[in-house]
PDB file of all heavy atoms in Angstrom:
ATOM      1  N   GLU A1377       5.488 195.342-131.974  1.00 97.00           N
ATOM      2  CA  GLU A1377       4.130 195.816-132.395  1.00 97.00           C
ATOM      3  C   GLU A1377       4.244 196.879-133.462  1.00 97.00           C
ATOM      4  O   GLU A1377       5.248 197.703-133.377  1.00 97.00           O
ATOM      5  CB  GLU A1377       3.325 196.303-131.077  1.00 97.00           C
ATOM      6  CG  GLU A1377       1.915 196.888-131.535  1.00 97.00           C
ATOM      7  CD  GLU A1377       1.154 197.357-130.351  1.00 97.00           C
ATOM      8  OE1 GLU A1377       1.465 197.002-129.298  1.00 97.00           O
ATOM      9  OE2 GLU A1377       0.310 198.260-130.565  1.00 97.00           O
ATOM     10  N   LYS A1378       3.391 196.812-134.456  1.00 97.00           N
ATOM     11  CA  LYS A1378       3.359 197.895-135.525  1.00 97.00           C
ATOM     12  C   LYS A1378       1.942 198.633-135.317  1.00 97.00           C
ATOM     13  O   LYS A1378       0.961 197.895-135.088  1.00 97.00           O
ATOM     14  CB  LYS A1378       3.429 197.301-136.879  1.00 97.00           C
ATOM     15  CG  LYS A1378       4.843 196.660-137.097  1.00 97.00           C
ATOM     16  CD  LYS A1378       4.847 196.175-138.569  1.00 97.00           C
ATOM     17  CE  LYS A1378       6.156 195.531-138.907  1.00 97.00           C
ATOM     18  NZ  LYS A1378       6.226 194.887-140.171  1.00 97.00           N
ATOM     19  N   ALA A1379       1.919 199.901-135.410  1.00 97.00           N
ATOM     20  CA  ALA A1379       0.772 200.586-135.117  1.00 97.00           C
ATOM     21  C   ALA A1379       0.782 201.969-135.789  1.00 97.00           C
ATOM     22  O   ALA A1379       1.879 202.453-136.179  1.00 97.00           O
ATOM     23  CB  ALA A1379       0.449 200.767-133.586  1.00 97.00           C
ATOM     24  N   VAL A1380      -0.437 202.576-136.000  1.00 97.00           N
ATOM     25  CA  VAL A1380      -0.541 203.883-136.444  1.00 97.00           C
ATOM     26  C   VAL A1380      -1.041 204.706-135.305  1.00 97.00           C
ATOM     27  O   VAL A1380      -2.066 204.381-134.684  1.00 97.00           O
ATOM     28  CB  VAL A1380      -1.518 204.043-137.721  1.00 97.00           C
ATOM     29  CG1 VAL A1380      -1.639 205.536-138.142  1.00 97.00           C
ATOM     30  CG2 VAL A1380      -0.972 203.240-138.842  1.00 97.00           C
ATOM     31  N   ILE A1381      -0.398 205.702-134.980  1.00 97.00           N
ATOM     32  CA  ILE A1381      -0.756 206.604-133.838  1.00 97.00           C
ATOM     33  C   ILE A1381      -1.214 207.969-134.387  1.00 97.00           C
ATOM     34  O   ILE A1381      -0.441 208.695-135.062  1.00 97.00           O
ATOM     35  CB  ILE A1381       0.355 206.729-132.842  1.00 97.00           C
ATOM     36  CG1 ILE A1381       0.745 205.463-132.426  1.00 97.00           C
ATOM     37  CG2 ILE A1381       0.065 207.684-131.705  1.00 97.00           C
ATOM     38  CD1 ILE A1381       2.021 205.364-131.523  1.00 97.00           C
ATOM     39  N   TYR A1382      -2.462 208.298-134.138  1.00 96.00           N
ATOM     40  CA  TYR A1382      -3.005 209.560-134.718  1.00 96.00           C
ATOM     41  C   TYR A1382      -2.896 210.574-133.509  1.00 96.00           C
ATOM     42  O   TYR A1382      -3.444 210.398-132.404  1.00 96.00           O
ATOM     43  CB  TYR A1382      -4.538 209.376-134.988  1.00 96.00           C
ATOM     44  CG  TYR A1382      -4.706 208.293-136.066  1.00 96.00           C
ATOM     45  CD1 TYR A1382      -4.908 207.021-135.663  1.00 96.00           C
ATOM     46  CD2 TYR A1382      -4.706 208.556-137.473  1.00 96.00           C
ATOM     47  CE1 TYR A1382      -5.060 205.979-136.747  1.00 96.00           C
ATOM     48  CE2 TYR A1382      -4.944 207.654-138.445  1.00 96.00           C
ATOM     49  CZ  TYR A1382      -5.147 206.286-138.000  1.00 96.00           C
ATOM     50  OH  TYR A1382      -5.283 205.287-138.910  1.00 96.00           O
ATOM     51  N   VAL A1383      -2.268 211.751-133.846  1.00 96.00           N
ATOM     52  CA  VAL A1383      -2.040 212.711-132.840  1.00 96.00           C
ATOM     53  C   VAL A1383      -2.522 214.118-133.344  1.00 96.00           C
ATOM     54  O   VAL A1383      -2.070 214.490-134.428  1.00 96.00           O
ATOM     55  CB  VAL A1383      -0.438 212.914-132.521  1.00 96.00           C
ATOM     56  CG1 VAL A1383      -0.233 213.806-131.431  1.00 96.00           C
ATOM     57  CG2 VAL A1383       0.079 211.569-132.019  1.00 96.00           C
ATOM     58  N   THR A1384      -3.336 214.633-132.575  1.00 94.00           N
ATOM     59  CA  THR A1384      -3.880 216.079-133.016  1.00 94.00           C
ATOM     60  C   THR A1384      -2.979 217.104-132.450  1.00 94.00           C
ATOM     61  O   THR A1384      -2.106 216.871-131.520  1.00 94.00           O
ATOM     62  CB  THR A1384      -5.310 216.296-132.390  1.00 94.00           C
ATOM     63  OG1 THR A1384      -5.304 215.930-131.063  1.00 94.00           O
ATOM     64  CG2 THR A1384      -6.228 215.354-133.126  1.00 94.00           C
ATOM     65  N   LYS A1385      -3.126 218.328-132.814  1.00 93.00           N
ATOM     66  CA  LYS A1385      -2.143 219.413-132.620  1.00 93.00           C
ATOM     67  C   LYS A1385      -1.889 219.776-131.187  1.00 93.00           C
ATOM     68  O   LYS A1385      -0.797 220.174-130.793  1.00 93.00           O
ATOM     69  CB  LYS A1385      -2.590 220.633-133.337  1.00 93.00           C
ATOM     70  CG  LYS A1385      -3.913 221.321-132.811  1.00 93.00           C
ATOM     71  CD  LYS A1385      -4.278 222.542-133.718  1.00 93.00           C
ATOM     72  CE  LYS A1385      -5.611 223.131-133.236  1.00 93.00           C
ATOM     73  NZ  LYS A1385      -5.903 224.359-134.129  1.00 93.00           N
ATOM     74  N   GLN A1386      -2.857 219.605-130.273  1.00 94.00           N
ATOM     75  CA  GLN A1386      -2.664 219.848-128.807  1.00 94.00           C
ATOM     76  C   GLN A1386      -1.587 218.964-128.156  1.00 94.00           C
ATOM     77  O   GLN A1386      -1.022 219.287-127.183  1.00 94.00           O
ATOM     78  CB  GLN A1386      -3.895 219.912-128.024  1.00 94.00           C
ATOM     79  CG  GLN A1386      -4.538 218.616-127.828  1.00 94.00           C
ATOM     80  CD  GLN A1386      -5.613 218.294-128.850  1.00 94.00           C
ATOM     81  OE1 GLN A1386      -5.495 218.757-130.040  1.00 94.00           O
ATOM     82  NE2 GLN A1386      -6.776 217.703-128.401  1.00 94.00           N
ATOM     83  N   TYR A1387      -1.281 217.826-128.861  1.00 96.00           N
ATOM     84  CA  TYR A1387      -0.314 216.940-128.407  1.00 96.00           C
ATOM     85  C   TYR A1387       0.886 216.811-129.215  1.00 96.00           C
ATOM     86  O   TYR A1387       1.787 215.933-129.035  1.00 96.00           O
ATOM     87  CB  TYR A1387      -1.006 215.477-128.221  1.00 96.00           C
ATOM     88  CG  TYR A1387      -1.990 215.345-127.155  1.00 96.00           C
ATOM     89  CD1 TYR A1387      -3.411 215.503-127.490  1.00 96.00           C
ATOM     90  CD2 TYR A1387      -1.672 215.357-125.852  1.00 96.00           C
ATOM     91  CE1 TYR A1387      -4.350 215.399-126.656  1.00 96.00           C
ATOM     92  CE2 TYR A1387      -2.652 215.282-124.894  1.00 96.00           C
ATOM     93  CZ  TYR A1387      -3.963 215.340-125.194  1.00 96.00           C
ATOM     94  OH  TYR A1387      -4.973 215.239-124.239  1.00 96.00           O
ATOM     95  N   LEU A1388       1.052 217.721-130.187  1.00 95.00           N
ATOM     96  CA  LEU A1388       2.209 217.819-130.980  1.00 95.00           C
ATOM     97  C   LEU A1388       3.217 218.803-130.404  1.00 95.00           C
ATOM     98  O   LEU A1388       3.282 219.964-130.799  1.00 95.00           O
ATOM     99  CB  LEU A1388       1.787 218.303-132.439  1.00 95.00           C
ATOM    100  CG  LEU A1388       1.063 217.137-133.244  1.00 95.00           C
ATOM    101  CD1 LEU A1388       0.556 217.742-134.534  1.00 95.00           C
ATOM    102  CD2 LEU A1388       1.909 215.998-133.473  1.00 95.00           C
ATOM    103  N   THR A1389       3.867 218.373-129.435  1.00 94.00           N
ATOM    104  CA  THR A1389       4.920 219.248-128.795  1.00 94.00           C
ATOM    105  C   THR A1389       6.316 219.213-129.596  1.00 94.00           C
ATOM    106  O   THR A1389       6.704 218.185-130.120  1.00 94.00           O
ATOM    107  CB  THR A1389       5.189 218.827-127.342  1.00 94.00           C
ATOM    108  OG1 THR A1389       5.426 217.410-127.237  1.00 94.00           O
ATOM    109  CG2 THR A1389       3.923 219.030-126.460  1.00 94.00           C
ATOM    110  N   PRO A1390       7.122 220.236-129.546  1.00 92.00           N
ATOM    111  CA  PRO A1390       8.486 220.148-130.191  1.00 92.00           C
ATOM    112  C   PRO A1390       9.328 219.197-129.594  1.00 92.00           C
ATOM    113  O   PRO A1390       9.311 218.920-128.410  1.00 92.00           O
ATOM    114  CB  PRO A1390       8.907 221.693-129.975  1.00 92.00           C
ATOM    115  CG  PRO A1390       7.817 222.459-129.687  1.00 92.00           C
ATOM    116  CD  PRO A1390       6.794 221.582-128.928  1.00 92.00           C
ATOM    117  N   SER A1391      10.124 218.645-130.390  1.00 94.00           N
ATOM    118  CA  SER A1391      11.048 217.593-130.005  1.00 94.00           C
ATOM    119  C   SER A1391      12.239 217.492-130.950  1.00 94.00           C
ATOM    120  O   SER A1391      12.146 218.121-132.036  1.00 94.00           O
ATOM    121  CB  SER A1391      10.335 216.274-129.821  1.00 94.00           C
ATOM    122  OG  SER A1391       9.873 215.732-131.117  1.00 94.00           O
ATOM    123  N   SER A1392      13.216 216.581-130.561  1.00 93.00           N
ATOM    124  CA  SER A1392      14.401 216.507-131.529  1.00 93.00           C
ATOM    125  C   SER A1392      13.970 215.628-132.726  1.00 93.00           C
ATOM    126  O   SER A1392      14.519 215.758-133.824  1.00 93.00           O
ATOM    127  CB  SER A1392      15.519 215.756-130.844  1.00 93.00           C
ATOM    128  OG  SER A1392      15.031 214.468-130.188  1.00 93.00           O
ATOM    129  N   LEU A1393      12.848 214.826-132.628  1.00 94.00           N
ATOM    130  CA  LEU A1393      12.435 214.010-133.758  1.00 94.00           C
ATOM    131  C   LEU A1393      11.652 214.988-134.784  1.00 94.00           C
ATOM    132  O   LEU A1393      11.857 214.890-135.941  1.00 94.00           O
ATOM    133  CB  LEU A1393      11.394 212.988-133.246  1.00 94.00           C
ATOM    134  CG  LEU A1393      10.768 212.166-134.348  1.00 94.00           C
ATOM    135  CD1 LEU A1393      11.801 211.339-135.082  1.00 94.00           C
ATOM    136  CD2 LEU A1393       9.600 211.294-133.773  1.00 94.00           C
ATOM    137  N   LEU A1394      10.814 215.933-134.259  1.00 92.00           N
ATOM    138  CA  LEU A1394      10.103 216.769-135.053  1.00 92.00           C
ATOM    139  C   LEU A1394      10.235 218.233-134.415  1.00 92.00           C
ATOM    140  O   LEU A1394       9.328 218.665-133.735  1.00 92.00           O
ATOM    141  CB  LEU A1394       8.587 216.434-135.136  1.00 92.00           C
ATOM    142  CG  LEU A1394       8.156 215.567-136.309  1.00 92.00           C
ATOM    143  CD1 LEU A1394       6.620 215.271-136.191  1.00 92.00           C
ATOM    144  CD2 LEU A1394       8.499 216.057-137.668  1.00 92.00           C
ATOM    145  N   PRO A1395      11.231 218.981-134.832  1.00 89.00           N
ATOM    146  CA  PRO A1395      11.484 220.321-134.261  1.00 89.00           C
ATOM    147  C   PRO A1395      10.338 221.294-134.615  1.00 89.00           C
ATOM    148  O   PRO A1395       9.918 222.170-133.860  1.00 89.00           O
ATOM    149  CB  PRO A1395      12.879 220.795-134.739  1.00 89.00           C
ATOM    150  CG  PRO A1395      13.434 219.559-135.211  1.00 89.00           C
ATOM    151  CD  PRO A1395      12.438 218.538-135.681  1.00 89.00           C
ATOM    152  N   GLU A1396       9.961 221.198-135.888  1.00 84.00           N
ATOM    153  CA  GLU A1396       8.832 221.994-136.507  1.00 84.00           C
ATOM    154  C   GLU A1396       7.491 221.382-136.450  1.00 84.00           C
ATOM    155  O   GLU A1396       7.357 220.468-137.084  1.00 84.00           O
ATOM    156  CB  GLU A1396       9.265 222.566-137.844  1.00 84.00           C
ATOM    157  CG  GLU A1396      10.443 223.290-137.971  1.00 84.00           C
ATOM    158  CD  GLU A1396      10.465 224.604-137.208  1.00 84.00           C
ATOM    159  OE1 GLU A1396       9.361 225.202-137.204  1.00 84.00           O
ATOM    160  OE2 GLU A1396      11.515 225.099-136.716  1.00 84.00           O
ATOM    161  N   ILE A1397       6.528 221.951-135.674  1.00 82.00           N
ATOM    162  CA  ILE A1397       5.200 221.326-135.695  1.00 82.00           C
ATOM    163  C   ILE A1397       4.163 222.358-135.903  1.00 82.00           C
ATOM    164  O   ILE A1397       2.878 221.967-135.797  1.00 82.00           O
ATOM    165  CB  ILE A1397       4.943 220.642-134.203  1.00 82.00           C
ATOM    166  CG1 ILE A1397       5.395 221.499-133.134  1.00 82.00           C
ATOM    167  CG2 ILE A1397       5.796 219.274-134.121  1.00 82.00           C
ATOM    168  CD1 ILE A1397       4.498 222.542-132.478  1.00 82.00           C
TER     169      ILE A1397
END
Side-chain angles (χ1 to χ4, degrees):
E1377 181 180 330
K1378 296 180 182 178
V1380 180
I1381 299 171
Y1382 303 88
V1383 182
T1384 54
K1385 62 181 178 181
Q1386 68 265 37
Y1387 293 98
L1388 291 173
T1389 54
S1391 64
S1392 54
L1393 177 68
L1394 268 182
E1396 298 295 330
I1397 46 86

